[in-house]
Amino acid sequence: MKKNKNVEESFVKRLKNNPKLLNHFVREIIEQYEKDDDFGMFLEGIKAIATATEGMTKISKKANVKRGTLYKAFSHKGNPEAKTYFNVLKNIGIQVHYSYAGKQ
């Protein structure tokens, strides 16, 4: 378990101040979620971006959510409320674009 935490910390350090890598990572976690439907891994990716860009303490203050609640919501088994989810995305600089993909 400790080894995984060190790998995660190392990756978060690489994401810091590296907009090109952050952009690639955002696209990668979205594409991976679309392939395997693993929302937990997607949330873990968002948490890594939040940690790298602002830090969870700062994000929790901006989103008006307790830090512990934020960690829980963006854990592998998390289930953030829509308001929290979109507020965090906004505060870490992720823009969400939608289009209708149903029958035409």
Side-chain angles (χ1 to χ4, degrees):
M1 183 70 102
K2 185 172 175 75
K3 187 174 185 179
N4 287 343
K5 185 173 181 171
N6 290 338
V7 169
E8 181 181 332
E9 288 173 2
S10 174
F11 183 68
V12 167
K13 285 180 184 177
R14 286 183 54 217
L15 287 175
K16 283 186 178 189
N17 302 315
N18 190 337
K20 188 175 181 179
L21 182 58
L22 277 165
N23 190 45
H24 175 75
F25 186 60
V26 168
R27 291 174 192 264
E28 188 65 33
I29 63 173
I30 291 168
E31 288 174 11
Q32 191 61 43
Y33 173 67
E34 289 173 345
K35 288 179 189 172
D36 63 20
D37 204 30
D38 187 347
F39 193 57
M41 286 302 293
F42 176 78
L43 291 174
E44 292 280 351
I46 296 299
K47 183 173 71 176
I49 295 166
T51 302
T53 57
E54 296 278 340
M56 293 299 267
T57 300
K58 195 171 184 179
I59 292 294
S60 70
K61 289 177 183 174
K62 286 182 172 182
N64 199 26
V65 177
K66 292 181 181 177
R67 191 171 64 104
T69 301
L70 205 55
Y71 273 105
K72 184 177 178 183
F74 286 87
S75 70
H76 193 81
K77 293 184 180 182
N79 189 16
E81 292 181 4
K83 183 178 179 180
T84 301
Y85 174 77
F86 287 111
N87 205 348
V88 167
L89 291 182
K90 180 178 123 186
N91 281 294
I92 62 176
I94 294 178
Q95 296 177 343
V96 179
H97 302 275
Y98 296 98
S99 62
Y100 181 70
K103 294 181 181 179
Q104 302 219 0

